[in-house]
Amino acid sequence: MPESFFGTPFIAAPMAGGTSTPALVKAVHEGGGLGFIAAGYKGPASMVAEMAATRELNVPFGMNVFVPDARQLPPRPEARAQIEAYRAELEPEAARYGVTLPPLRLDDDDAWQDKIDALLADPVEFVSFAFGLPGKPVVDALRKAGSRVISSVTSIEEALAAAEEGPDAIAVQHSSAGGHTAAFLPARPGPTPRTTAELVTQVRGAVGLPLIAAGAIMDNSALRDVLAAGAEAAQVGTALVRTEESGARKPHKDALGDPAFTETAMTRAFTGRWARSLVNEFVREHPDAPEGYPAIHHLTSPVRGAASAAGDPHRLNLWAGTGWQQARAGSARDVVRQFLNGL
């Protein structure tokens, strides 16, 4: 296996909402990879408790943190009006399951400072950030505390901005990736990289930091491609969602193996932030969902929870990369070993 800054060329993507679990971290480690847990949607106490549970397994791991968008907290009046209109649009969805949509939450920063403070007080091996840049003071403090810091980007411009803050590495996410986009700058005009490997090659030419490739990496061949393009490792999410150790909801796991689902699309319908999901009824029926993360995430949460309890995949956020059809059930340990076979 080739040497890597991360100790392995396989990294389990941090998947918020309960998909990434301590059990998944352990199984990924046993297969030869590096696991991550996710702080997103958890309170600081829950984050710290999950860190403690993962530490008890005596394996290295990382923690991912969402960066709040100060430009949207709270939203501008016109943005708030759009979110309120979308709330009204969602009322029939709530009525379907007999649940109540919550009041608007417009100032949720995901307990940003409390989570950073907790990570400084009790450092983990790796800390990665998504949805924006943490700022140089945060990067410097975490590195001083002993953590290796990873910033997530989707373009050369974002990579250059991230590099200025001095992280240890950069995760390069292609648009084929499942779940939320890490983008935080407007997309530039012109052709976009067709593959993850092509994007890695572009970013490799712009920055000298170790790179992690993310997006539609579903097998050993795709892993080899991004390593050849200049990545130190691949960050794999969708290929792990169906595994035994994944905490994903059962309807989500089942949908990834259901031939009735035939495509993915980028949508804001579930959270107000662009994310790639299998196309289900909810995605089709709410094509014009406004920008408004995390306010819209909170609005749709009761509907998604009720849909999951009812076993209904059509009102659930079925995050999936474009290679979702290759996702398999079984142990994550075996999935990782298949990826690393022959490296």
Side-chain angles (χ1 to χ4, degrees):
M1 188 180 300
E3 289 294 322
S4 168
F5 173 83
F6 309 99
T8 172
F10 185 102
I11 296 174
M15 295 175 280
T19 301
S20 291
T21 64
L24 183 59
V25 170
K26 182 179 181 181
V28 167
H29 173 76
E30 291 173 345
L34 171 67
F36 265 74
I37 50 178
Y41 310 136
K42 295 183 179 74
S46 295
M47 182 194 83
V48 169
E50 189 163 55
M51 287 166 56
T54 308
R55 273 211 180 85
E56 290 181 359
L57 303 175
N58 294 315
V59 299
F61 69 96
M63 173 65 77
N64 177 260
V65 183
F66 290 164
V67 179
D69 187 348
R71 299 170 302 173
Q72 296 187 49
L73 296 172
R76 298 181 303 276
E78 60 272 24
R80 175 172 182 153
Q82 291 175 340
I83 296 170
E84 289 175 338
Y86 191 58
R87 187 182 190 282
E89 182 181 326
L90 293 173
E91 287 290 359
E93 302 285 7
R96 181 190 302 268
Y97 296 111
V99 298
T100 301
L101 297 179
L104 294 185
R105 291 180 59 184
L106 302 173
D107 60 354
D108 179 17
D109 70 350
D110 204 37
W112 165 256
Q113 191 58 55
D114 288 342
K115 290 179 179 179
I116 296 302
D117 290 344
L119 288 166
L120 291 173
D122 190 11
V124 298
E125 286 87 348
F126 296 91
V127 179
S128 68
F129 293 97
F131 302 176
L133 300 179
K136 184 170 175 54
V138 171
V139 172
D140 290 346
L142 287 168
R143 294 187 70 200
K144 184 176 180 180
S147 297
R148 294 183 177 183
V149 177
I150 303 165
S151 294
S152 302
V153 308
T154 64
S155 66
I156 292 175
E157 291 79 9
E158 290 180 348
L160 291 171
E164 290 181 0
E165 293 189 352
D168 295 284
I170 293 177
V172 181
Q173 184 199 52
H174 187 258
S175 60
S176 57
H180 286 107
T181 176
F184 57 88
L185 293 177
R188 63 176 179 174
T192 57
R194 293 169 298 173
T195 66
T196 303
E198 185 177 318
L199 178 60
V200 167
T201 298
Q202 291 183 3
V203 174
R204 173 78 291 148
V207 300
L209 294 168
L211 302 182
I212 304 168
I217 301 169
M218 298 296 296
D219 58 20
N220 177 274
S221 176
L223 173 57
R224 289 176 183 271
D225 286 345
V226 296
L227 295 179
E232 292 270 345
Q235 182 170 280
V236 177
T238 303
L240 296 170
V241 171
R242 294 184 67 192
T243 61
E244 298 164 2
E245 298 85 1
S246 157
R249 291 161 162 162
K250 186 176 186 300
H252 187 180
K253 291 186 177 185
D254 292 345
L256 290 177
D258 186 345
F261 293 96
T262 60
E263 60 182 325
T264 66
M266 296 295 285
T267 179
R268 291 193 299 214
F270 296 105
T271 68
R273 182 180 178 89
W274 291 113
R276 186 171 292 281
S277 170
L278 291 178
V279 176
N280 58 10
E281 292 175 6
F282 197 93
V283 172
R284 292 191 185 97
E285 293 168 5
H286 303 285
D288 301 317
E291 182 177 21
Y293 178 87
I296 290 173
H297 157 74
H298 293 305
L299 280 182
T300 66
S301 182
V303 173
R304 289 180 281 126
S308 178
D312 178 7
H314 283 285
R315 298 293 180 278
L316 195 59
N317 52 315
L318 304 174
W319 300 151
T322 58
W324 88 95
Q325 290 164 318
Q326 293 177 257
R328 298 289 180 266
S331 173
R333 181 189 313 109
D334 296 331
V335 171
V336 177
R337 286 174 178 168
Q338 290 168 8
F339 269 86
L340 297 177
N341 184 38
L343 291 181

